[in-house]
Amino acid sequence: MEMFDIIMDAHCSTGHGGEKKLRFFLAEKYINVTQKMIGAFVSNCETCQKKKTKPNKGLVVRPLKSKDV
């Protein structure tokens, strides 16, 4: 099995968990998977990219309307 397949299987079994979750999961079975490999894999996962929250556009300010001016 290639490294990509190993990381992919582990990533799917953790429910597309983040780097930390994946690192601990892989540490139980494998010792040659580096953080750099895990980071590259997670940053290129399409499902994880879709799960990321969209940035807030900021606070919307509306003008005060008053009849007593």
Side-chain angles (χ1 to χ4, degrees), residues 33-41:
V33 182
T34 64
Q35 268 185 291
K36 197 172 187 177
M37 289 180 196
I38 294 171
F41 185 87

Side-chain angles (χ1 to χ4, degrees), residues 3 7 11 17-27 33-45:
M3 188 63 67
I7 296 174
H11 188 58
E19 292 180 36
K20 190 174 185 180
K21 194 174 200 179
L22 188 56
R23 186 171 13 115
F24 285 118
F25 186 83
L26 287 169
V33 182
T34 64
Q35 268 185 291
K36 197 172 187 177
M37 289 180 196
I38 294 171
F41 185 87
V42 172
S43 67
N44 290 317
C45 177

Side-chain angles (χ1 to χ4, degrees), residues 1-18:
M1 209 174 208
E2 288 192 31
M3 188 63 67
F4 177 82
D5 297 328
I6 291 169
I7 296 174
M8 179 66 161
D9 290 341
H11 188 58
C12 290
S13 15
T14 58
H16 290 273

